[in-house]
Amino acid sequence: MMTVAVLAFVVVTFVRWVDWIARLGRISTTIEKVEAAGIEAFNRNRMNRRLGGAELPSDIDQGNPVFADKIGYVQHVDMKGLQEFASQNRIRIVLTAVPGVFVAPGRPLAYLTTEEGDLPDEGLSEIVKAFEIGKNRVYDDDPRFALVALSEIASRALSPAVN
């Protein structure tokens, strides 16, 4: 009985693996995965407008810029950490880089305004650490990237004769 159970387990596992391999290269499977990731990102974005931050008045002074320390795409912003830091240091942080934006050391991630003078360099590094920057865009917090991926899939699906 044990031999039959192990053999049945191996056969079922093998059949599932072959089915997974067969679906891996299908365009419909890829589209479904990108669509699901995009819908999840759009829903998360809709429920958490402006990443949970307050709307910025149009007459506010931007303040002192905080620059990225590396080149890449903003993948995630730790808004909870930024809020705690801003509350502790009594500063206002205005984000200029949201997930999906390409940043480099010359492009500001955010602007700071303080009531008590300048923030020390340690404080600026804490703000930079709140931005997760990587080589590639990710779907998690970047719903626009899902639209770009779906449009790329659609353009490749067209016949080469279509301009």
Side-chain angles (χ1 to χ4, degrees):
M1 290 299 279
M2 188 66 150
T3 303
V4 170
V6 169
L7 184 61
F9 176 75
V10 168
V11 168
V12 168
T13 303
F14 180 71
V15 168
R16 288 180 59 200
W17 179 75
V18 168
D19 183 53
W20 180 76
I21 293 293
R23 292 174 192 253
L24 185 62
R26 291 186 185 162
I27 191 75
S28 61
T29 303
T30 304
I31 292 171
E32 288 171 4
K33 287 182 180 182
V34 172
E35 181 184 17
I39 288 172
E40 187 177 326
F42 271 105
N43 287 337
R44 202 172 19 257
N45 188 306
R46 186 183 60 186
M47 300 304 286
N48 197 12
R49 300 296 303 157
R50 292 182 297 279
L51 298 176
E55 186 172 355
L56 186 65
S58 60
D59 61 342
I60 190 168
D61 179 31
Q62 285 187 325
N64 300 320
V66 177
F67 296 102
D69 58 354
K70 56 185 171 181
I71 297 172
Y73 291 97
V74 175
Q75 295 176 338
H76 178 72
V77 180
D78 179 15
M79 292 298 288
K80 186 178 282 187
L82 285 176
Q83 179 59 42
E84 289 174 7
F85 185 80
S87 296
Q88 289 172 355
N89 294 290
R90 296 176 38 172
I91 61 174
R92 172 179 271 170
I93 303 172
V94 177
L95 297 185
T96 59
V98 295
V101 171
F102 186 78
V103 294
R107 179 157 194 261
L109 295 171
Y111 288 97
L112 306 178
T113 54
T114 65
E115 296 175 5
E116 301 173 6
D118 291 338
L119 200 63
D121 288 340
E122 299 85 37
L124 295 178
S125 66
E126 286 296 318
I127 292 172
V128 172
K129 286 180 189 175
F131 291 83
E132 187 177 325
I133 300 172
K135 290 182 184 179
N136 302 315
R137 293 172 77 174
V138 293
Y139 298 116
D140 296 340
D141 293 326
D142 187 7
R144 294 174 299 155
F145 182 49
L147 291 178
V148 169
L150 286 171
S151 68
E152 287 290 324
I153 291 169
S155 69
R156 284 180 172 73
L158 291 173
S159 168
V162 176
N163 289 332

